Amino acid sequence: MAYKRQIDRLPIPPKDATIHNVTCHYCIVGCGYKAYTWDRNKQGTLTDNAFGIDLSEQQGADGTWMAPSMYNVVKQNGKDVHLAVVPDHDCVVNSGLGSIRGARMAENRPSTVTGTQQQRLTDPMMWRYGVLQPTSWDDALDLVAQVTARVVTEGSEDDLVVSMFDHGGSAGGYENTWGTGKLYFESMKIKNCRIHNRPAYNSEVHSTRDMGVGELNYQYKDYELTDTIMIVGANPLETQTNLFLNHMVPGMRNGARVIFVEPRRTVSVNASEEVAGKDNVLHLQINTGTDMALFNAILTEIVAKGWVDKDFIANSTFQDGIAQAEDAGHPAALGSIEEAMKACTMSLDEAAGICGVDAADIAKAAAWIAEPKDGARRKCVTAYEKGIIWGNDNYRTIGALVNIALATGNVGREGGGVCRLGGHQEGYYRPSDAHVGRPATYVDQLLINGGGKIHHIWACDHYKTTLNASQFKRVHKKRSDMVKEAMDAAAGGTREDLINAIVDAVNKGGLFVVDVDIIDSQIGQNAHVVLAACESNEMNLTSMNGERRLRLSEKYMDPFGNSKPDCLIAAGIAQHMERVLNAMGKADYAAQFQGYDWMTEEDAFMDGYNKGNPEVTYERLRAMGNNGVLEPVVGFENGMLVGTERLYSNGEFGTGDKKARFCAAGWRGWQAEGKAEEQAKYKYWINNGRANIFWQSQFLDQDNDFIQDRFPFPFIEMNPADMADIGVGPGDLVEIHNANGATQAMVYPTATARRGETLMVFGSPAGSQGNVINPGVNELVLPDYKHTWADIRKISDAPATAKAISFKSKEYKSA
Amino acid sequence: MQTLLSGNLWEDYMSRCTKLVDVGRRQFLRGGSVAAAGLATAAVLPAAQAKAAPANAQVDYPSNRLANVADLTVNEPMDIEYPDADSPGALIKLGQAVEGGAGPDGDIVAFSTLCPHKGWLLAYNSADSTYNCPGHFSRFDVEAGGQQVWGHATQNLPQFTLRVDDKGDIFAEGASDLIFGRPSNVL
């Protein structure tokens, strides 16, 4: 039986409720919401309320409505207050639309009154007496600093391994990336570090940046002004929901055609067919991993037909052969279009054979992208995401796609752009990471191989978001257990005894683990010290969305318990490092940890982002509201921050000579090690993706009844004939297994899935797909998460909770 | 936000609505308040009479006769209005017992048909017994308690509590979730 909220009325925000600007802290789109807070003993009425509408009348479609998920009771300045977080009709990003994620922000707040999100951490914890015990900040930070200072001074900073988020929204943002960045890249020069969702500290889109084309160059309005929308390896209705509904759909209604490059039929394809009509949607359902061959054939066709933008190429792209040769840091050469075509030229028929689609459809795609319309440039927006970012041959594949946009002059112009769609919002502001090097260290492999002695983890959970996860977990647990045993043996002794025991253990192969998070994560089970962080709206947080829209999402409630913003935790570590190092007599090194006297997150913002962008302050951002300003900010006029609609609109690109480069993206089949062999050996392709209903690793949703009722186990989508082959029905639990490891999922029958092609949820806490992914990465250590093959066998019949749910098609079906 | 259905399509959808119970056809208007054009009967209480006493901890729902079991055809939803004329819903005999189903066969269910995402009127797909939103593509399974199969709503479809008397008359007497577009199910 479906989850029933059993709520038949809600408190009404009064007219004098306090209103706060909120940018949704989940996906990159960053929808605008308004948070209303008001005293516990006050309420509005049907006719006199904060929404300014007559609530005694039934509101019509698209009207203002506060769903039960948009309500909670939270602490504000120590007092319990009502909270409503409602989509903002005046925000141009979402125009009042809420997603299944963002419209639950209120109920996913920790509340001691309503009992929501009691999994949130309230206090630092330390491994003591065989368990993690709550403790004070001073006690926890002292141990972190004592052990860290000993290890990096007796050895080197390379003994400290750091996993740290680099995103905006959530608990990221300019404040917190600066706090961690200043600690690890300025006070120290940590090179063995990695990012929240991948095993190294690297860009996911090195090639487009090397080509001079930053990956977020358009604005969302371009979808409404274009002739063609090309979507590659992405499913925006599920993962950038209101970008699809509020910008792509209007674009289709204005006449835009849509091209999908995607092995899987998604709800985005279905919805686009509903809106634009099947004749205006071209789904190139390619063999997985063959995107580059397709792009090269499209480019070859465009060049052959003479549909290139000659003036743009002459004026804005590199002309003289090779600008950057292929080398260890550049998996393809970059240069002129002529140079690139030497590597990229591919016939329609050859690509059709590789990709498994009709040559005529490839030609059709080329025409939809580039055939001049009414004698002028055909406008085309190109959007891509994890399908190729976490796919085969990341560098060259993304380069091949950007080639098409450059050849047709579709960058920096109205109705154009070639952009990644994104996951989290962006919010990166750190000192230079040049010391990390390129290629960067494959950190997860370093840890597996016994490297590193201390592991600082900032809101990363490798258990759910790494490849070769089965082995990683075994080794990480074993190494951290060595330290736990040493700490247990030192129980009852002095602080010095404890530190000596830890240092001795890490010198024997153990790993001292410090985990900073908002919840008790899976990798946090290996931690010796846990530091409790808070999220956006429990602190002020600035981030930028997928069109570079910068907003301040305002604090409207207190951090839960004694938790703190990450930037202030980083400052605390730095201050304790300075004290400990001084006590060790290392005054010079200690001095490097000065400059963290921040009392608030705004202090961290002013120390970091504001120094590079002096026009931008909290006060000015607050005044810009939920529409914010498009970065880069170029001025402040008439009380408004002045932004940038599109990058490269002057035809100058992000290279030393301002000329964009083409990528010599030569097709070479499977790039990462072991993929071809695995494909030959196992029966099922185990693709992974995101689902509309969950946010990323489900860190909050794992404690949300509405969500867990819908999917009590993570699903694996399978063709019904494949299900018959292994004798399973809807809801049955299966094991997915190969030489890398094993994991589990609940079978969801999916008629549109091709035979032998399955899809699992990425990052699930109850069945990590990473367990079965091999360690293969590209030259720059980008993981190919998307390419895993395995066998599948039944574990059990559907558990009672799985039997009760719907297994119908996820595709909208009109009456 | 530009909507996906033009006014004409909306009228067209409404004209396809099947049986109406007890009361005259209602014209639901989009984008503003809903106007009830038909005659109210004793079965559908005017909003004023349905108002709960403010001191009560929970809303008092009206008991409204929706139909008789004999009026229902399997898998053909009957349009209803509950708890008042401004709240469209559907009464469906599924043909097989479901958890929470009412009637002699345990197969009668009733739901609000305003999408709990943005309040669009849902359309029934009889091929797989789902309600589908033409606005933003959400869909709900009436055979699984109104569970959202896929979509943007943050709750499942509000299900109406049914009672069937000895004569086979079906009454709605409550709702499981808040109905879109109102702060209280009984206004």
Side-chain angles (χ1 to χ4, degrees):
Chain A
M1 193 71 179
Y3 175 66
K4 311 289 191 190
R5 290 183 179 272
Q6 305 297 0
I7 289 174
D8 40 30
R9 67 180 169 193
L10 286 174
I12 296 172
K15 198 157 61 183
D16 62 354
T18 308
I19 302 177
H20 317 256
N21 294 319
V22 170
T23 305
C24 178
H25 56 81
Y26 293 118
C27 92
I28 179 111
V29 178
C31 294
Y33 285 74
K34 291 284 188 194
Y36 301 83
T37 55
W38 67 100
D39 288 347
R40 173 67 187 89
N41 60 343
K42 296 282 169 40
Q43 61 182 330
T45 69
L46 293 173
T47 52
D48 188 25
N49 55 66
F51 301 134
I53 54 178
D54 183 356
L55 293 170
S56 68
E57 292 185 343
Q58 168 72 37
Q59 303 302 307
D62 296 332
T64 294
W65 182 54
M66 185 173 121
S69 61
M70 300 174 190
Y71 173 78
N72 212 334
V73 177
V74 298
K75 281 268 192 298
Q76 184 184 70
N77 300 322
K79 278 170 44 185
D80 291 318
V81 296
H82 295 276
L83 167 71
V85 186
V86 181
D88 182 359
H89 285 269
D90 296 325
C91 177
V92 296
V93 174
N94 54 310
S95 305
L97 287 173
S99 72
I100 193 172
R101 301 171 297 275
R104 291 184 293 109
M105 277 190 287
E107 74 169 5
N108 269 351
R109 286 297 173 193
S111 172
T112 52
V113 174
T114 62
T116 52
Q117 292 297 328
Q118 293 298 296
Q119 64 166 342
R120 287 285 304 274
L121 298 175
T122 57
D123 293 275
M125 294 190 287
M126 192 184 292
W127 185 262
R128 271 189 180 131
Y129 329 125
V131 291
L132 280 166
Q133 293 272 352
T135 189
S136 70
W137 279 104
D138 276 346
D139 181 39
L141 292 175
D142 176 73
L143 187 70
V144 171
Q146 295 276 7
V147 174
T148 303
R150 272 280 296 276
V151 169
V152 299
T153 53
E154 289 177 10
S156 79
E157 290 179 349
D158 293 350
D159 294 326
L160 171 57
V161 176
V162 178
S163 302
M164 54 180 172
F165 60 82
D166 74 340
H167 56 71
S170 210
Y174 290 119
E175 294 78 4
N176 292 327
T177 61
W178 175 251
T180 46
K182 182 168 178 168
L183 177 62
Y184 297 113
F185 289 173
E186 190 174 287
S187 297
M188 294 185 266
K189 294 283 181 204
I190 301 301
K191 78 175 172 64
N192 292 328
C193 50
R194 63 101 93 179
I195 291 170
H196 55 278
N197 62 4
R198 53 190 186 273
Y201 203 89
N202 49 14
S203 167
E204 289 183 310
V205 290
H206 275 304
S207 53
T208 191
R209 291 181 183 180
D210 290 348
M211 294 162 78
V213 182
E215 66 271 22
L216 302 175
N217 44 69
Y218 61 19
Q219 57 177 329
Y220 286 166
K221 197 167 71 180
D222 283 314
Y223 287 104
E224 300 166 42
L225 305 171
T226 196
D227 298 309
T228 302
I229 299 169
M230 183 179 187
I231 297 170
V232 178
N235 180 15
L237 177 55
E238 296 219 51
T239 53
Q240 295 87 13
T241 302
N242 292 326
L243 168 57
F244 184 91
L245 292 174
N246 204 35
H247 301 280
M248 293 183 185
V249 164
M252 293 177 216
R253 296 184 74 227
N254 289 340
R257 292 160 160 170
V258 190
I259 301 168
F260 283 95
V261 180
E262 170 70 54
R264 181 168 65 107
R265 181 178 167 85
T266 63
V267 293
S268 300
V269 176
N270 181 62
S272 298
E273 288 177 352
E274 287 287 334
V275 177
K278 285 192 177 183
D279 290 347
N280 292 314
V281 178
L282 176 60
H283 180 195
L284 294 165
Q285 200 165 5
I286 59 170
N287 294 328
T288 186
T290 64
D291 308 69
M292 193 199 316
L294 179 83
F295 304 152
N296 283 346
I298 289 173
L299 178 63
T300 304
E301 172 77 356
I302 288 169
V303 170
K305 293 280 191 187
W307 293 336
V308 296
D309 188 329
K310 292 187 183 70
D311 290 344
F312 177 86
I313 292 170
N315 296 327
S316 293
T317 71
F318 188 79
Q319 298 297 306
D320 307 317
I322 295 175
Q324 168 67 54
E326 184 177 337
D327 62 22
H330 301 84
L334 308 173
S336 67
I337 187 168
E338 293 80 11
E339 197 62 38
M341 291 312 294
K342 290 178 192 169
C344 295
T345 299
M346 182 175 282
S347 72
L348 295 175
D349 286 338
E350 188 183 358
I354 294 168
C355 302
V357 295
D358 287 346
D361 280 341
I362 305 176
K364 189 176 181 181
W368 283 18
I369 293 166
E371 186 176 17
K373 183 183 174 188
D374 306 325
R377 171 181 69 101
R378 186 175 292 268
K379 299 172 187 169
C380 178
V381 184
T382 303
Y384 60 95
E385 194 41 46
K386 294 290 191 293
I388 57 173
I389 286 174
W390 288 352
N392 179 33
D393 214 347
N394 165 297
Y395 192 93
R396 292 189 184 186
T397 299
I398 293 171
L401 183 61
V402 177
N403 280 348
I404 296 172
L406 286 175
T408 55
N410 262 312
V411 192
R413 291 172 168 181
E414 182 181 284
V418 54
C419 303
R420 67 172 296 183
L421 285 167
H424 289 87
Q425 284 191 75
E426 303 293 328
Y428 188 97
Y429 197 83
R430 279 180 177 152
S432 168
D433 62 358
H435 64 278
V436 171
R438 178 168 158 178
T441 312
Y442 190 165
V443 161
D444 290 22
Q445 209 61 44
L446 176 85
L447 288 166
I448 286 171
N449 293 333
K453 295 180 179 179
I454 303 176
H455 191 190
H456 289 188
I457 305 168
W458 295 78
C460 301
D461 196 345
H462 305 230
Y463 270 44
K464 294 180 280 186
T465 54
T466 194
L467 66 179
N468 193 24
S470 296
Q471 190 186 11
F472 180 87
K473 285 184 246 194
R474 282 196 302 274
V475 175
H476 199 270
K477 179 173 189 306
K478 188 177 173 187
R479 296 187 62 194
S480 62
D481 278 349
M482 290 170 67
V483 175
K484 284 181 179 175
E485 286 163 16
M487 292 174 80
D488 289 344
T494 64
R495 187 66 151 206
E496 197 178 355
D497 293 339
L498 178 66
I499 294 161
N500 286 337
I502 293 169
V503 172
D504 186 49
V506 301
N507 285 334
K508 290 175 178 162
L511 191 67
F512 179 71
V513 178
V514 179
D515 185 42
V516 189
D517 211 322
I518 62 166
I519 59 162
D520 187 10
S521 69
Q522 293 185 340
I523 198 169
Q525 293 166 11
N526 295 341
H528 308 97
V529 177
V530 173
L531 303 175
C534 67
E535 275 201 293
S536 56
N537 308 127
E538 299 158 14
M539 63 178 288
N540 293 291
L541 196 87
T542 51
S543 305
M544 163 183 111
N545 82 347
E547 56 179 342
R548 297 166 282 101
R549 191 176 296 278
L550 169 67
R551 269 88 47 95
L552 171 65
S553 192
E554 295 181 280
K555 176 177 179 174
Y556 57 66
M557 64 181 283
D558 302 342
F560 199 43
N562 293 312
S563 63
K564 291 183 181 186
D566 288 84
C567 55
L568 299 186
I569 298 173
I573 292 175
Q575 287 159 350
H576 281 265
M577 287 289 288
E578 184 192 4
R579 176 182 57 80
V580 168
L581 287 164
N582 273 324
M584 291 167 69
K586 302 194 179 289
D588 288 350
Y589 194 24
Q592 290 177 214
F593 294 88
Q594 291 173 352
Y596 292 88
D597 50 347
W598 308 327
M599 299 303 291
T600 66
E601 59 272 20
E602 186 172 6
D603 294 339
F605 180 83
M606 296 306 285
D607 188 54
Y609 187 89
N610 173 267
K611 282 201 179 137
N613 303 271
E615 301 287 7
V616 183
T617 63
Y618 271 20
E619 185 187 358
R620 289 176 179 181
L621 282 174
R622 215 170 259 130
M624 298 301 284
N626 279 337
N627 287 332
V629 59
L630 297 176
E631 292 191 68
V633 174
V634 294
F636 182 70
E637 291 171 11
N638 305 319
M640 309 267 284
L641 290 166
V642 180
T644 307
E645 284 203 340
R646 295 178 190 87
L647 302 186
Y648 317 123
S649 54
N650 61 357
E652 294 183 353
F653 287 84
T655 56
D657 59 10
K658 310 288 186 199
K659 305 289 185 192
R661 278 87 163 108
F662 287 86
C663 178
W667 167 250
R668 51 181 166 167
W670 291 116
Q671 177 274 327
E673 193 178 337
K675 299 297 183 187
E677 295 78 4
E678 201 174 272
Q679 183 180 31
K681 187 171 176 186
Y682 298 103
K683 186 170 177 186
Y684 298 100
W685 174 37
I686 314 296
N687 190 7
N688 68 76
R690 310 286 192 174
N692 188 40
I693 190 166
F694 307 120
W695 171 243
Q696 305 286 52
S697 65
Q698 302 185 38
F699 59 94
L700 296 179
D701 289 339
Q702 65 187 354
D703 191 29
N704 185 290
D705 294 318
F706 169 67
I707 301 303
Q708 293 303 313
D709 169 76
R710 175 68 188 101
F711 291 116
F713 298 86
F715 59 76
I716 181 168
E717 294 180 354
M718 288 186 79
N719 182 286
D722 286 337
M723 290 168 57
D725 277 359
I726 58 168
V728 294
D732 286 358
L733 300 185
V734 293
E735 183 170 73
I736 298 94
H737 58 102
N738 62 16
N740 308 310
T743 189
Q744 71 169 45
M746 172 188 76
V747 175
Y748 200 102
T750 304
T752 53
R754 295 194 289 201
R755 291 294 306 270
E757 298 191 356
T758 69
L759 177 94
M760 285 183 71
V761 186
F762 186 83
S764 169
S768 170
Q769 196 254 353
N771 290 2
V772 292
I773 304 173
N774 84 355
V777 293
N778 88 341
E779 297 90 336
L780 302 178
V781 204
L782 263 295
D784 186 354
Y785 287 125
K786 295 285 184 183
H787 293 110
T788 296
W789 292 264
D791 289 332
I792 302 175
R793 62 187 164 217
K794 182 170 175 174
I795 292 177
S796 82
D797 288 339
T801 47
K803 271 189 187 141
I805 68 171
S806 180
F807 285 101
K808 290 178 181 172
S809 164
K810 296 170 187 170
E811 287 193 3
Y812 166 84
K813 293 179 188 350
S814 54
Chain B
M1 172 62 191
Q2 296 185 51
T3 49
L4 306 183
L5 268 189
S6 70
N8 286 341
L9 279 173
W10 184 261
E11 301 280 324
D12 183 54
Y13 167 68
M14 287 306 297
S15 75
R16 281 184 277 124
C17 291
T18 50
K19 298 175 188 172
L20 288 175
V21 270
D22 290 348
V23 290
R25 173 176 294 272
R26 302 285 191 258
Q27 188 69 32
F28 294 99
L29 302 177
R30 245 186 0 87
S33 64
V34 175
L39 291 172
T41 71
V44 179
L45 296 175
Q49 291 178 36
K51 208 163 199 170
N56 289 350
Q58 73 176 39
V59 162
D60 285 324
Y61 283 90
S63 174
N64 289 5
R65 180 184 177 278
L66 303 177
N68 188 278
V69 172
D71 299 333
L72 298 176
T73 305
V74 169
N75 205 24
E76 281 188 19
M78 176 181 280
D79 291 345
I80 59 168
E81 291 146 351
Y82 186 81
D84 55 55
D86 291 342
S87 172
L91 179 67
I92 314 165
K93 182 174 172 59
L94 295 170
Q96 57 181 27
V98 292
E99 200 177 330
D105 302 324
D107 67 341
I108 300 172
V109 290
F111 294 94
S112 165
T113 49
L114 290 181
C115 181
H117 173 226
K118 293 303 291 182
W120 287 64
L121 192 63
L122 300 167
Y124 190 65
N125 184 298
S126 58
D128 71 355
S129 301
T130 55
Y131 269 98
N132 290 257
C133 177
H136 313 100
F137 319 110
S138 302
R139 57 200 319 263
F140 303 86
D141 187 349
V142 297
E143 294 179 310
Q147 186 170 57
Q148 183 169 241
V149 181
W150 187 92
H152 318 290
T154 54
Q155 64 186 42
N156 297 311
L157 211 49
Q159 182 163 8
F160 299 139
T161 308
L162 300 181
R163 175 176 62 84
V164 181
D165 71 10
D166 296 345
K167 293 176 292 187
D169 283 343
I170 306 165
F171 296 84
E173 300 187 330
S176 67
D177 287 270
L178 195 63
I179 296 163
F180 178 87
R182 39 181 76 196
S184 169
N185 276 346
V186 175
L187 288 171

